[in-house]
Amino acid sequence: MIELHDISKAYRTADIETTALNDINLEIMSGEFIAIMGPSGCGKSTMLNVLGMLDTPSSGSYRFLGEDISKSSERHLANVRKHNIGFIFQSFNLIDELSVAENVALPLLYHKIPLADRDKRVQEVMESVNIAHRATHRPQQLSGGQQQRVAVARAVVTGPKLILADEPTGNLDTRNGEEVLDLLGKLNADGTTIVMVTHDPSHAEHASRVVHMLDGRILSENVVDLKQKSEARHV
């Protein structure tokens, strides 16, 4: 699905240049669940922004579904994002003036889907993340865990091939964090590719591969033994 070759990203001001990513090489196959870990400032979020086509690399090649999009126009990148990628953020990024159902439906407004089909899809995805009973509530009326469920529903309502999650449990307590991770696991089991930034090793254990970053580089990669992980959880 994704091939990054010699990707670098530098931010420049009048006085200084900061290298956020330095010669990144990474391949992500369809159906993988990848966790990206590393200390603050190591380039994790920049990596996620580049993967999500929200930030353009300074150099290198980025192939997505076989297409090199490194030098593509913003209009083309927006179209690729719209049809293929869902985003989940640490801060939820819900719109307070809209109901739960309206927040979930928001991405569908850009897909020219008939209203009846849109309503059906929103209802189905809300039920899948157990938030349908809050459909008419506003975000400020929900707990943090419920708000992140809405954010997950919004991310998957278009049926994206790839979900990018930036510290999706960062503002949640342990129980709600585990519930969100379980939701991501179910989406991955259904075939959705997931790339998640996290600082928590126990959360990274939900992934099938862990990428460790330091100073803008990939330091190491570890494949998680899913069978052993599953057995450990049931002990």
Side-chain angles (χ1 to χ4, degrees), residues 146-159:
Q146 289 171 333
Q147 289 187 58
Q148 194 60 296
R149 286 177 177 272
V150 177
V152 171
R154 181 186 58 191
V156 304
V157 72
T158 60

Side-chain angles (χ1 to χ4, degrees), residues 99-192:
S99 69
V100 165
E102 290 168 336
N103 268 283
V104 174
L106 202 56
L108 296 176
L109 300 180
Y110 303 99
H111 285 255
K112 299 180 180 179
I113 296 174
L115 180 59
D117 292 341
R118 191 163 68 225
D119 290 345
K120 180 182 178 182
R121 189 177 300 187
V122 168
Q123 181 64 28
E124 288 174 348
V125 76
M126 287 193 301
E127 290 176 355
S128 72
V129 300
N130 194 27
I131 201 67
H133 61 294
R134 299 287 191 179
T136 61
H137 288 67
R138 300 293 175 89
Q140 61 267 32
Q141 297 175 295
L142 307 178
S143 68
Q146 289 171 333
Q147 289 187 58
Q148 194 60 296
R149 286 177 177 272
V150 177
V152 171
R154 181 186 58 191
V156 304
V157 72
T158 60
K161 298 179 177 69
L162 171 67
I163 289 179
L164 301 177
D166 193 358
E167 297 279 7
T169 61
N171 287 330
L172 303 178
D173 59 31
T174 300
R175 181 179 63 82
N176 282 307
E178 283 296 322
E179 288 181 356
V180 168
L181 289 168
D182 287 343
L183 283 175
L184 293 178
K186 290 175 182 176
L187 292 169
N188 179 243
D190 289 337
T192 305

Side-chain angles (χ1 to χ4, degrees), residues 58-121:
S58 303
S59 61
S61 169
Y62 178 7
R63 299 188 70 84
F64 184 79
L65 296 176
E67 176 190 3
D68 189 344
I69 51 88
S70 308
K71 306 299 181 183
S72 296
S73 67
E74 176 53 39
R75 182 175 182 179
H76 179 65
L77 292 178
N79 191 55
V80 174
R81 280 196 305 269
K82 180 175 72 173
H83 289 96
N84 296 284
I85 303 176
F87 296 89
I88 303 172
F89 305 97
Q90 177 179 346
S91 56
F92 316 139
N93 287 4
L94 303 177
I95 299 175
D96 289 337
E97 292 76 19
L98 300 181
S99 69
V100 165
E102 290 168 336
N103 268 283
V104 174
L106 202 56
L108 296 176
L109 300 180
Y110 303 99
H111 285 255
K112 299 180 180 179
I113 296 174
L115 180 59
D117 292 341
R118 191 163 68 225
D119 290 345
K120 180 182 178 182
R121 189 177 300 187

